[in-house]
Amino acid sequence: MKLITIIFIILFAFSFFLSLIYGDVDIPISQLVHPNSIYAYILYEIRLPTVLSAVFIGIILSVSGAILQMLLRNPLVDSYISGTASGGAFGAVLAYFLLLFNLPFSWIVFFQPIIAFIMALLATLITIIIGKRSGFLGLIIGGVLVSFVFSSLVTILLSFMSLKYPQIPSLTFWLLGDISVIGWFDVIVLAILSTLLLSLAILKSRIIDLLAISDEISYAHGLNPDSQRILWLALVSSAVAYCVSIAGTIGFLGLIVPHIIRRLVGGNTKALSIYSSLIGSTILMLSNIVSRGLLGYYIPLTAVMSLIGSPIMIMALVRRNASAE
Amino acid sequence: MLVLNNINVNINGKRILSDISFSVNHGVNVVLGPNGSGKTTLLRAIIGMVKYSGEIRVSGGVSFVPAEFSSPQMNVIDVLLSGNRKADYLHFVKELDLEKFLNREFSTLSSGEKKLVLIAKALAEGENVIMDEPLSNLDVKNRLKIMKIMKKFKKTFLITSHELDIVNYSDKIILLSEGKLVYDGSSSDLSEDLISSVYGVKIKKVEINGDIYFRPIEYSL
């Protein structure tokens, strides 16, 4: 096994361990193995579900970022830039709005992911259509604008509904992200979605590689690149939409992680997916520790992520323009 | 071998190709014609990228070298293996002397080297190698290298070109004008009057030691 793989695995394990200890309530190391009843509840019903959710969300967002960058041939996109996440957030909030039509509140578990998925896919497709007509940077600017539109819609809907339904998560949650999961249902769904996304990305990695190179060669291989892209975008949108439904919008992770992997390991889809999963979940676990109170108070996740992510994105943008000259 | 029968292509209600019929065999088959004559559309019809009416028969599989392509940050070996076809890539990598590039990042190669990598990929993947403008943006040496590759391997090459010096290397010329086939035959039988009228430029046919060259001699500036 390569040295870098071992380092990544050690980093992952170390972050996982730290994440079990630090949170809203710190769990003493002595309590991790045989916790007493209070710590047992916190550990098994809150801390473990939250940390595992961070791992699976980290995998989904990073692998989605890698796949989107390959499919759209643009290293500056991820599910946040492409509008997928904001669309998903709007869909999730829209599901609460539909409750106003006298549906039982418990139904939300079932139809919220579906509406979030539909809106996520819709937002992504709008961004792609804009990108097709306006080129490399047009895709990014278009995506940012689509995100603004859907974020505004989230704000408007929430302003309207928060009086009637105070139990709906806050605007900060939807726009800037927060992972705090109680119970195991969401963890299991996230586990299934991340496993599906990662294994399909590995299994079909050579196809995605080809889609990143040329539509013509794809056709010569008997593949229709447009329908391939739609299928992948649907899969990515469904996984990202579920993440957004339970953790809000988490920006930049899917953007920066594939960049780090390209520099350290290599840029084919298989390597990108495997290593992005490891590093993406590690970064998200660590960011979540910072977010949940390392500084003594709560900071939204995207605030932490964009501080790390923006400089990397600016570097990538400047380097690309320098190499294009 | 590639056989095309009565191929018609309409894009957005506009007729791009009308009633194209020809067949090509082992050797270098060159589709010539001015910009907008339908060359690229013809190649794209063969790989199923544009809708057409008519019949296209292929024996031996089709592979493609596009005129433009993206250069993702992956190694040359990943580019060769992309698409997951079972093919003997290494054989053609050796033939084209590309072994030293295998573990280099594709995006760091020169445009000529990139093109050679995609040609090696196409040679391994099909008996009918279709190339859109394989000679454009290349220096004299790389152009010669690609023309020699086509002569060396016993495959059916169908390529488009704007370089008239390719004519001397070709076994068959297919000349398109405004979506119609106006010539299908050997380079020696192609008359300078026909090619001049198709391009709208006076082109002279020159024979030197049995080699045939077409030279534009008048640009109406």
Side-chain angles (χ1 to χ4, degrees):
Chain A
M1 197 158 37
K2 278 191 211 154
L3 179 66
I4 197 135
T5 316
I6 297 167
I7 294 173
F8 283 178
I9 290 172
I10 291 171
L11 274 174
F12 176 89
F14 182 64
S15 311
F16 191 85
F17 176 69
L18 284 183
S19 300
L20 287 182
I21 297 174
Y22 297 109
D24 293 332
V25 174
D26 293 350
I27 301 175
I29 296 177
S30 59
Q31 292 287 335
L32 278 181
V33 189
H34 295 293
N36 65 29
S37 62
I38 298 168
Y39 282 125
Y41 179 78
I42 295 174
L43 188 63
Y44 296 132
E45 291 303 313
I46 300 173
R47 189 60 48 80
L48 257 180
T50 298
V51 177
L52 287 174
S53 295
V55 169
F56 296 133
I57 291 172
I59 293 173
I60 290 173
L61 295 181
S62 314
V63 175
S64 296
I67 292 174
L68 286 175
Q69 290 177 6
M70 296 300 259
L71 291 181
L72 304 178
R73 297 177 193 160
N74 193 324
L76 298 175
V77 294
D78 73 341
S79 57
Y80 187 63
I81 301 288
S82 64
T84 316
S86 311
F90 172 66
V93 175
L94 189 65
Y96 286 109
F97 178 74
L98 295 177
L99 289 177
L100 293 177
F101 301 101
N102 291 325
L103 290 167
F105 197 85
S106 58
W107 280 29
I108 196 120
V109 186
F110 305 106
F111 66 81
Q112 188 179 47
I114 297 167
I115 300 172
F117 158 68
I118 293 169
M119 297 320 276
L121 185 59
L122 178 73
T124 316
L125 291 178
I126 295 173
T127 301
I128 289 167
I129 292 168
I130 297 171
K132 265 205 161 172
R133 284 159 186 247
S134 57
F136 184 87
L137 288 175
L139 179 77
I140 295 155
I141 297 164
V144 170
L145 291 174
V146 169
S147 297
F148 271 127
V149 170
F150 281 100
S151 301
S152 302
L153 292 175
V154 168
T155 313
I156 293 165
L157 267 184
L158 273 182
S159 313
F160 170 66
M161 287 191 303
S162 52
L163 287 174
K164 191 170 167 69
Y165 287 112
Q167 64 268 54
I168 298 177
S170 71
L171 188 63
T172 318
F173 167 86
W174 291 112
L175 297 187
L176 298 171
D178 176 15
I179 306 176
S180 47
V181 175
I182 300 169
W184 288 90
F185 176 79
D186 288 333
V187 181
I188 293 165
V189 178
L190 284 172
I192 294 169
L193 285 171
S194 56
T195 309
L196 187 72
L197 186 67
L198 179 59
S199 44
L200 274 176
I202 294 170
L203 208 66
K204 299 285 177 190
S205 59
R206 298 282 188 213
I207 306 278
I208 300 176
D209 286 348
L210 183 57
L211 293 168
I213 299 168
S214 158
D215 277 10
E216 281 102 332
I217 304 180
S218 303
Y219 274 107
H221 279 235
L223 297 163
N224 184 327
D226 291 331
S227 39
Q228 289 282 328
R229 282 193 186 95
I230 302 268
L231 283 175
W232 280 106
L233 291 175
L235 182 63
V236 163
S237 298
S238 64
V240 169
Y242 200 84
C243 292
V244 173
S245 308
I246 62 168
T249 308
I250 301 167
F252 287 99
L253 187 71
L255 187 71
I256 55 173
V257 172
H259 270 284
I260 298 169
I261 302 306
R262 265 189 215 103
R263 301 206 79 180
L264 296 179
V265 188
N268 67 49
T269 305
K270 191 176 175 183
L272 271 186
S273 306
I274 294 172
Y275 288 99
S276 290
S277 295
L278 267 174
I279 285 300
S281 45
T282 302
I283 291 179
L284 195 56
M285 282 191 287
L286 293 176
S287 305
N288 205 36
I289 294 175
V290 177
S291 159
R292 297 228 67 80
L294 191 72
L295 303 179
Y297 43 84
Y298 162 76
I299 310 165
L301 258 176
T302 296
V304 182
M305 295 301 318
S306 21
L307 275 185
I308 317 168
S310 304
I312 298 181
M313 187 170 172
I314 292 166
M315 252 163 51
L317 186 64
V318 172
R319 263 168 50 113
R320 182 187 174 273
N321 276 355
S323 68
E325 274 158 17
Chain B
M1 192 178 77
L2 265 167
V3 181
L4 283 76
N5 249 330
N6 298 319
I7 300 303
N8 288 289
V9 173
N10 291 309
I11 297 174
N12 298 329
K14 196 175 169 239
R15 173 63 54 107
I16 308 290
L17 292 176
S18 16
D19 268 337
I20 306 284
S21 300
F22 66 85
S23 66
V24 288
N25 246 315
H26 282 177
V28 182
N29 306 281
V30 185
V31 183
L32 292 176
N35 293 121
S37 56
K39 301 188 296 295
T40 298
T41 306
L42 178 68
L43 300 195
R44 288 181 172 176
I46 297 171
I47 53 172
M49 191 171 175
V50 298
K51 284 201 174 71
Y52 60 88
S53 69
E55 184 197 22
I56 296 176
R57 275 183 290 144
V58 184
S59 59
V62 169
S63 57
F64 200 94
V65 179
E68 283 171 11
F69 48 87
S70 292
S71 307
Q73 288 178 35
M74 58 175 80
N75 287 345
V76 168
I77 181 98
D78 297 317
V79 172
L80 289 167
L81 294 175
S82 67
N84 226 0
R85 273 208 182 161
K86 302 267 176 290
D88 189 4
Y89 294 104
L90 214 54
H91 171 72
F92 291 98
V93 163
K94 281 181 186 151
E95 288 279 0
L96 270 60
D97 200 20
L98 297 170
E99 289 139 298
K100 54 187 176 293
F101 295 128
L102 277 180
N103 289 312
R104 281 258 307 268
E105 202 180 90
F106 185 66
S107 57
T108 64
L109 302 185
S110 74
S111 51
E113 289 160 351
K114 284 179 191 167
K115 206 132 225 182
L116 287 172
V117 169
L118 292 187
I119 290 174
K121 180 175 173 61
L123 285 170
E125 287 174 355
E127 287 307 306
N128 302 281
V129 182
I130 300 177
M131 306 201 262
D132 194 6
E133 303 278 355
L135 306 177
S136 62
N137 300 323
L138 294 185
D139 64 29
V140 185
K141 192 179 164 196
N142 272 323
R143 284 212 311 240
L144 191 67
K145 191 168 182 183
I146 289 172
M147 293 195 273
K148 281 184 175 164
I149 288 167
M150 289 191 289
K151 278 290 170 199
K152 183 173 177 184
F153 296 100
K154 206 168 155 43
K155 287 177 183 278
T156 304
F157 291 94
L158 183 66
I159 72 166
T160 63
S161 183
H162 285 296
E163 317 288 336
L164 292 178
D165 45 346
I166 184 87
V167 167
N168 187 41
Y169 284 81
S170 62
D171 299 295
K172 190 173 203 182
I173 303 284
I174 286 138
L175 187 58
L176 294 184
S177 175
E178 293 170 359
K180 294 188 182 69
L181 190 146
V182 292
Y183 181 78
D184 170 10
S186 70
S187 55
S188 51
D189 291 342
L190 179 59
S191 77
E192 58 182 40
D193 288 345
L194 180 62
I195 198 163
S196 296
S197 74
V198 166
Y199 279 96
V201 173
K202 185 85 193 114
I203 293 170
K204 190 128 187 71
K205 188 176 183 179
V206 188
E207 283 197 51
I208 306 171
N209 301 330
D211 291 338
I212 296 159
Y213 300 95
F214 285 92
R215 288 277 150 78
I217 53 168
E218 166 232 33
Y219 290 95
S220 359
L221 290 175

Short mmCIF file of all heavy atoms in Angstrom, two decimals, chain A residues 7-52:
data_model
loop_
_atom_site.label_atom_id
_atom_site.label_comp_id
_atom_site.label_asym_id
_atom_site.label_seq_id
_atom_site.Cartn_x
_atom_site.Cartn_y
_atom_site.Cartn_z
N ILE A 7 -1.18 7.30 5.31
CA ILE A 7 -1.33 8.59 5.99
C ILE A 7 -2.80 9.02 6.01
O ILE A 7 -3.33 9.44 7.04
CB ILE A 7 -0.46 9.67 5.30
CG1 ILE A 7 1.02 9.33 5.48
CG2 ILE A 7 -0.76 11.06 5.86
CD1 ILE A 7 1.97 10.21 4.70
N PHE A 8 -3.47 8.87 4.85
CA PHE A 8 -4.88 9.24 4.76
C PHE A 8 -5.72 8.43 5.75
O PHE A 8 -6.61 8.97 6.41
CB PHE A 8 -5.42 9.00 3.34
CG PHE A 8 -5.00 10.07 2.35
CD1 PHE A 8 -5.38 9.97 1.02
CD2 PHE A 8 -4.24 11.16 2.73
CE1 PHE A 8 -5.00 10.93 0.10
CE2 PHE A 8 -3.85 12.13 1.83
CZ PHE A 8 -4.24 12.01 0.51
N ILE A 9 -5.44 7.13 5.85
CA ILE A 9 -6.24 6.27 6.74
C ILE A 9 -5.99 6.66 8.20
O ILE A 9 -6.94 6.74 9.00
CB ILE A 9 -5.93 4.78 6.48
CG1 ILE A 9 -6.48 4.38 5.12
CG2 ILE A 9 -6.55 3.90 7.57
CD1 ILE A 9 -6.09 2.99 4.66
N ILE A 10 -4.72 6.95 8.54
CA ILE A 10 -4.41 7.37 9.91
C ILE A 10 -5.13 8.68 10.23
O ILE A 10 -5.75 8.82 11.29
CB ILE A 10 -2.89 7.51 10.11
CG1 ILE A 10 -2.24 6.12 10.05
CG2 ILE A 10 -2.56 8.19 11.44
CD1 ILE A 10 -0.73 6.13 10.01
N LEU A 11 -5.08 9.63 9.29
CA LEU A 11 -5.77 10.91 9.48
C LEU A 11 -7.26 10.70 9.71
O LEU A 11 -7.87 11.31 10.59
CB LEU A 11 -5.57 11.81 8.25
CG LEU A 11 -4.31 12.67 8.20
CD1 LEU A 11 -4.22 13.37 6.85
CD2 LEU A 11 -4.30 13.68 9.34
N PHE A 12 -7.84 9.81 8.90
CA PHE A 12 -9.26 9.51 9.01
C PHE A 12 -9.58 8.95 10.40
O PHE A 12 -10.49 9.42 11.08
CB PHE A 12 -9.67 8.51 7.92
CG PHE A 12 -11.10 8.06 8.01
CD1 PHE A 12 -12.10 8.76 7.36
CD2 PHE A 12 -11.45 6.94 8.76
CE1 PHE A 12 -13.43 8.36 7.45
CE2 PHE A 12 -12.78 6.53 8.85
CZ PHE A 12 -13.76 7.24 8.19
N ALA A 13 -8.79 7.95 10.82
CA ALA A 13 -9.05 7.30 12.11
C ALA A 13 -8.89 8.29 13.27
O ALA A 13 -9.70 8.33 14.20
CB ALA A 13 -8.09 6.11 12.29
N PHE A 14 -7.86 9.12 13.16
CA PHE A 14 -7.59 10.12 14.20
C PHE A 14 -8.76 11.11 14.29
O PHE A 14 -9.23 11.44 15.38
CB PHE A 14 -6.28 10.84 13.86
CG PHE A 14 -5.86 11.85 14.88
CD1 PHE A 14 -5.54 11.47 16.18
CD2 PHE A 14 -5.77 13.20 14.54
CE1 PHE A 14 -5.14 12.41 17.12
CE2 PHE A 14 -5.38 14.15 15.49
CZ PHE A 14 -5.07 13.75 16.77
N SER A 15 -9.23 11.57 13.14
CA SER A 15 -10.35 12.53 13.13
C SER A 15 -11.62 11.90 13.68
O SER A 15 -12.39 12.54 14.39
CB SER A 15 -10.62 13.03 11.71
OG SER A 15 -9.44 13.44 11.10
N PHE A 16 -11.81 10.63 13.34
CA PHE A 16 -13.00 9.91 13.83
C PHE A 16 -12.97 9.85 15.36
O PHE A 16 -13.96 10.13 16.03
CB PHE A 16 -13.02 8.49 13.24
CG PHE A 16 -14.31 7.76 13.47
CD1 PHE A 16 -15.37 7.93 12.59
CD2 PHE A 16 -14.47 6.91 14.55
CE1 PHE A 16 -16.56 7.27 12.80
CE2 PHE A 16 -15.66 6.25 14.78
CZ PHE A 16 -16.71 6.43 13.89
N PHE A 17 -11.80 9.51 15.88
CA PHE A 17 -11.61 9.42 17.33
C PHE A 17 -11.87 10.78 17.99
O PHE A 17 -12.63 10.87 18.96
CB PHE A 17 -10.18 8.93 17.60
CG PHE A 17 -9.81 8.87 19.04
CD1 PHE A 17 -10.40 7.93 19.90
CD2 PHE A 17 -8.88 9.75 19.57
CE1 PHE A 17 -10.05 7.88 21.23
CE2 PHE A 17 -8.54 9.71 20.91
CZ PHE A 17 -9.13 8.78 21.75
N LEU A 18 -11.26 11.84 17.45
CA LEU A 18 -11.47 13.20 18.00
C LEU A 18 -12.94 13.58 17.96
O LEU A 18 -13.47 14.18 18.90
CB LEU A 18 -10.67 14.24 17.20
CG LEU A 18 -9.16 14.33 17.44
CD1 LEU A 18 -8.57 15.46 16.59
CD2 LEU A 18 -8.85 14.55 18.92
N SER A 19 -13.61 13.21 16.85
CA SER A 19 -15.02 13.58 16.68
C SER A 19 -15.91 12.91 17.72
O SER A 19 -16.95 13.45 18.10
CB SER A 19 -15.52 13.19 15.29
OG SER A 19 -14.77 13.84 14.31
N LEU A 20 -15.50 11.69 18.16
CA LEU A 20 -16.29 11.00 19.19
C LEU A 20 -16.20 11.75 20.51
O LEU A 20 -17.16 11.79 21.29
CB LEU A 20 -15.79 9.56 19.37
CG LEU A 20 -16.13 8.58 18.25
CD1 LEU A 20 -15.62 7.20 18.59
CD2 LEU A 20 -17.63 8.53 18.01
N ILE A 21 -15.04 12.35 20.77
CA ILE A 21 -14.82 13.02 22.06
C ILE A 21 -15.45 14.40 22.08
O ILE A 21 -16.19 14.75 22.99
CB ILE A 21 -13.31 13.14 22.34
CG1 ILE A 21 -12.69 11.75 22.46
CG2 ILE A 21 -13.05 13.95 23.61
CD1 ILE A 21 -11.20 11.76 22.58
N TYR A 22 -15.16 15.21 21.03
CA TYR A 22 -15.56 16.61 21.07
C TYR A 22 -16.89 16.86 20.37
O TYR A 22 -17.11 16.39 19.25
CB TYR A 22 -14.48 17.50 20.44
CG TYR A 22 -13.18 17.44 21.20
CD1 TYR A 22 -12.07 16.79 20.68
CD2 TYR A 22 -13.08 18.02 22.47
CE1 TYR A 22 -10.88 16.72 21.39
CE2 TYR A 22 -11.90 17.95 23.19
CZ TYR A 22 -10.80 17.31 22.65
OH TYR A 22 -9.64 17.24 23.35
N GLY A 23 -17.74 17.65 21.03
CA GLY A 23 -19.03 17.99 20.45
C GLY A 23 -19.69 19.00 21.37
O GLY A 23 -19.01 19.68 22.13
N ASP A 24 -21.03 19.06 21.31
CA ASP A 24 -21.74 19.97 22.21
C ASP A 24 -21.39 19.63 23.66
O ASP A 24 -21.24 20.50 24.50
CB ASP A 24 -23.25 19.83 21.99
CG ASP A 24 -23.65 20.34 20.61
OD1 ASP A 24 -22.94 21.22 20.09
OD2 ASP A 24 -24.64 19.85 20.06
N VAL A 25 -21.29 18.32 23.93
CA VAL A 25 -20.82 17.85 25.24
C VAL A 25 -19.58 17.02 24.99
O VAL A 25 -19.60 16.12 24.15
CB VAL A 25 -21.91 16.98 25.92
CG1 VAL A 25 -21.38 16.38 27.21
CG2 VAL A 25 -23.17 17.79 26.16
N ASP A 26 -18.48 17.30 25.67
CA ASP A 26 -17.28 16.48 25.47
C ASP A 26 -17.41 15.17 26.26
O ASP A 26 -17.85 15.16 27.40
CB ASP A 26 -16.04 17.24 25.95
CG ASP A 26 -15.76 18.46 25.06
OD1 ASP A 26 -16.43 18.56 24.01
OD2 ASP A 26 -14.91 19.29 25.43
N ILE A 27 -17.04 14.08 25.62
CA ILE A 27 -17.10 12.78 26.28
C ILE A 27 -15.68 12.41 26.72
O ILE A 27 -14.79 12.32 25.88
CB ILE A 27 -17.67 11.69 25.34
CG1 ILE A 27 -19.08 12.09 24.89
CG2 ILE A 27 -17.68 10.34 26.01
CD1 ILE A 27 -19.69 11.16 23.87
N PRO A 28 -15.46 12.18 28.00
CA PRO A 28 -14.10 11.80 28.44
C PRO A 28 -13.66 10.50 27.77
O PRO A 28 -14.49 9.60 27.55
CB PRO A 28 -14.26 11.60 29.95
CG PRO A 28 -15.55 12.27 30.32
CD PRO A 28 -16.42 12.23 29.11
N ILE A 29 -12.36 10.40 27.47
CA ILE A 29 -11.85 9.20 26.79
C ILE A 29 -12.21 7.94 27.58
O ILE A 29 -12.58 6.91 27.01
CB ILE A 29 -10.33 9.31 26.60
CG1 ILE A 29 -10.00 10.49 25.68
CG2 ILE A 29 -9.75 8.02 26.01
CD1 ILE A 29 -8.52 10.74 25.48
N SER A 30 -12.16 8.04 28.92
CA SER A 30 -12.45 6.87 29.76
C SER A 30 -13.88 6.38 29.54
O SER A 30 -14.17 5.20 29.73
CB SER A 30 -12.23 7.23 31.23
OG SER A 30 -13.08 8.31 31.56
N GLN A 31 -14.76 7.26 29.10
CA GLN A 31 -16.17 6.89 28.93
C GLN A 31 -16.46 6.31 27.54
O GLN A 31 -17.57 5.88 27.26
CB GLN A 31 -17.07 8.11 29.16
CG GLN A 31 -17.10 8.61 30.59
CD GLN A 31 -17.89 7.67 31.49
OE1 GLN A 31 -18.76 6.92 31.02
NE2 GLN A 31 -17.57 7.67 32.77
N LEU A 32 -15.45 6.34 26.64
CA LEU A 32 -15.71 5.88 25.26
C LEU A 32 -15.94 4.38 25.19
O LEU A 32 -16.73 3.89 24.39
CB LEU A 32 -14.54 6.27 24.34
CG LEU A 32 -14.52 7.71 23.82
CD1 LEU A 32 -13.33 7.92 22.91
CD2 LEU A 32 -15.81 8.05 23.09
N VAL A 33 -15.21 3.62 26.05
CA VAL A 33 -15.29 2.16 25.95
C VAL A 33 -16.49 1.62 26.74
O VAL A 33 -17.32 0.90 26.19
CB VAL A 33 -13.97 1.51 26.43
CG1 VAL A 33 -13.99 0.02 26.12
CG2 VAL A 33 -12.76 2.19 25.78
N HIS A 34 -16.57 1.97 28.04
CA HIS A 34 -17.72 1.53 28.82
C HIS A 34 -18.44 2.75 29.39
O HIS A 34 -18.27 3.08 30.55
CB HIS A 34 -17.27 0.60 29.97
CG HIS A 34 -16.67 -0.67 29.47
ND1 HIS A 34 -17.40 -1.64 28.82
CD2 HIS A 34 -15.39 -1.14 29.52
CE1 HIS A 34 -16.61 -2.65 28.48
NE2 HIS A 34 -15.37 -2.37 28.89
N PRO A 35 -19.24 3.43 28.57
CA PRO A 35 -19.86 4.67 29.06
C PRO A 35 -20.95 4.39 30.09
O PRO A 35 -21.61 3.35 30.03
CB PRO A 35 -20.46 5.26 27.78
CG PRO A 35 -20.62 4.12 26.85
CD PRO A 35 -19.61 3.09 27.20
N ASN A 36 -21.09 5.32 31.06
CA ASN A 36 -22.24 5.20 31.97
C ASN A 36 -23.51 5.63 31.24
O ASN A 36 -23.46 6.03 30.08
CB ASN A 36 -22.01 6.01 33.25
CG ASN A 36 -21.93 7.50 32.97
OD1 ASN A 36 -22.54 8.00 32.03
ND2 ASN A 36 -21.17 8.21 33.79
N SER A 37 -24.64 5.57 31.91
CA SER A 37 -25.91 5.67 31.18
C SER A 37 -26.08 7.00 30.43
O SER A 37 -26.54 7.00 29.29
CB SER A 37 -27.08 5.46 32.14
OG SER A 37 -27.05 6.49 33.11
N ILE A 38 -25.67 8.11 31.04
CA ILE A 38 -25.85 9.40 30.35
C ILE A 38 -24.95 9.47 29.13
O ILE A 38 -25.39 9.78 28.02
CB ILE A 38 -25.55 10.58 31.30
CG1 ILE A 38 -26.53 10.56 32.46
CG2 ILE A 38 -25.65 11.91 30.55
CD1 ILE A 38 -26.15 11.50 33.58
N TYR A 39 -23.67 9.14 29.35
CA TYR A 39 -22.72 9.19 28.23
C TYR A 39 -23.07 8.14 27.16
O TYR A 39 -22.86 8.36 25.98
CB TYR A 39 -21.29 8.98 28.73
CG TYR A 39 -20.71 10.24 29.35
CD1 TYR A 39 -20.20 10.21 30.64
CD2 TYR A 39 -20.68 11.44 28.64
CE1 TYR A 39 -19.68 11.36 31.24
CE2 TYR A 39 -20.17 12.59 29.22
CZ TYR A 39 -19.67 12.55 30.52
OH TYR A 39 -19.16 13.69 31.08
N ALA A 40 -23.63 7.02 27.60
CA ALA A 40 -24.02 5.99 26.65
C ALA A 40 -25.09 6.53 25.71
O ALA A 40 -25.04 6.33 24.49
CB ALA A 40 -24.54 4.75 27.38
N TYR A 41 -26.07 7.26 26.27
CA TYR A 41 -27.12 7.83 25.44
C TYR A 41 -26.52 8.84 24.44
O TYR A 41 -26.80 8.77 23.24
CB TYR A 41 -28.19 8.52 26.30
CG TYR A 41 -29.26 9.14 25.44
CD1 TYR A 41 -30.26 8.35 24.88
CD2 TYR A 41 -29.24 10.50 25.15
CE1 TYR A 41 -31.21 8.90 24.05
CE2 TYR A 41 -30.19 11.07 24.32
CZ TYR A 41 -31.18 10.27 23.78
OH TYR A 41 -32.12 10.82 22.96
N ILE A 42 -25.67 9.73 24.99
CA ILE A 42 -25.08 10.75 24.11
C ILE A 42 -24.25 10.07 23.02
O ILE A 42 -24.36 10.40 21.84
CB ILE A 42 -24.19 11.72 24.92
CG1 ILE A 42 -25.05 12.51 25.89
CG2 ILE A 42 -23.45 12.69 23.98
CD1 ILE A 42 -24.26 13.39 26.84
N LEU A 43 -23.45 9.09 23.42
CA LEU A 43 -22.54 8.44 22.47
C LEU A 43 -23.31 7.67 21.39
O LEU A 43 -23.06 7.84 20.20
CB LEU A 43 -21.61 7.49 23.22
CG LEU A 43 -20.48 6.87 22.41
CD1 LEU A 43 -19.52 7.93 21.88
CD2 LEU A 43 -19.70 5.86 23.26
N TYR A 44 -24.29 6.84 21.79
CA TYR A 44 -24.94 5.94 20.82
C TYR A 44 -26.10 6.60 20.06
O TYR A 44 -26.40 6.20 18.95
CB TYR A 44 -25.42 4.67 21.52
CG TYR A 44 -24.29 3.86 22.09
CD1 TYR A 44 -24.31 3.37 23.40
CD2 TYR A 44 -23.16 3.59 21.30
CE1 TYR A 44 -23.25 2.64 23.91
CE2 TYR A 44 -22.10 2.87 21.81
CZ TYR A 44 -22.14 2.39 23.11
OH TYR A 44 -21.10 1.69 23.61
N GLU A 45 -26.76 7.57 20.68
CA GLU A 45 -27.93 8.15 20.01
C GLU A 45 -27.63 9.49 19.35
O GLU A 45 -28.38 9.95 18.51
CB GLU A 45 -29.09 8.28 21.01
CG GLU A 45 -29.68 6.94 21.44
CD GLU A 45 -30.16 6.10 20.27
OE1 GLU A 45 -30.86 6.65 19.39
OE2 GLU A 45 -29.82 4.90 20.23
N ILE A 46 -26.54 10.17 19.75
CA ILE A 46 -26.26 11.48 19.16
C ILE A 46 -24.88 11.52 18.52
O ILE A 46 -24.74 11.77 17.33
CB ILE A 46 -26.38 12.60 20.23
CG1 ILE A 46 -27.81 12.62 20.80
CG2 ILE A 46 -26.06 13.96 19.60
CD1 ILE A 46 -27.99 13.56 21.97
N ARG A 47 -23.83 11.23 19.34
CA ARG A 47 -22.48 11.43 18.85
C ARG A 47 -22.14 10.51 17.67
O ARG A 47 -21.75 10.97 16.60
CB ARG A 47 -21.47 11.25 19.98
CG ARG A 47 -20.02 11.66 19.63
CD ARG A 47 -19.89 13.10 19.23
NE ARG A 47 -20.55 14.05 20.11
CZ ARG A 47 -20.05 14.47 21.28
NH1 ARG A 47 -18.89 14.06 21.69
NH2 ARG A 47 -20.73 15.32 22.02
N LEU A 48 -22.34 9.20 17.86
CA LEU A 48 -22.02 8.26 16.77
C LEU A 48 -22.85 8.53 15.51
O LEU A 48 -22.28 8.61 14.41
CB LEU A 48 -22.23 6.83 17.23
CG LEU A 48 -20.96 6.03 17.57
CD1 LEU A 48 -21.35 4.62 18.01
CD2 LEU A 48 -20.00 5.95 16.39
N PRO A 49 -24.17 8.71 15.64
CA PRO A 49 -24.94 9.05 14.42
C PRO A 49 -24.43 10.32 13.74
O PRO A 49 -24.35 10.39 12.51
CB PRO A 49 -26.37 9.25 14.93
CG PRO A 49 -26.43 8.46 16.18
CD PRO A 49 -25.06 8.49 16.79
N THR A 50 -24.07 11.33 14.53
CA THR A 50 -23.60 12.59 13.96
C THR A 50 -22.27 12.39 13.23
O THR A 50 -22.09 12.85 12.10
CB THR A 50 -23.46 13.66 15.06
OG1 THR A 50 -24.74 13.88 15.64
CG2 THR A 50 -22.93 14.96 14.48
N VAL A 51 -21.34 11.69 13.90
CA VAL A 51 -20.01 11.50 13.30
C VAL A 51 -20.12 10.64 12.03
O VAL A 51 -19.52 10.96 11.00
CB VAL A 51 -19.03 10.87 14.30
CG1 VAL A 51 -17.70 10.61 13.64
CG2 VAL A 51 -18.86 11.77 15.51
N LEU A 52 -20.91 9.58 12.11
CA LEU A 52 -21.06 8.73 10.92
C LEU A 52 -21.77 9.50 9.80
O LEU A 52 -21.41 9.36 8.62
CB LEU A 52 -21.84 7.46 11.26
CG LEU A 52 -21.04 6.43 12.09
CD1 LEU A 52 -21.93 5.27 12.50
CD2 LEU A 52 -19.84 5.92 11.30
#
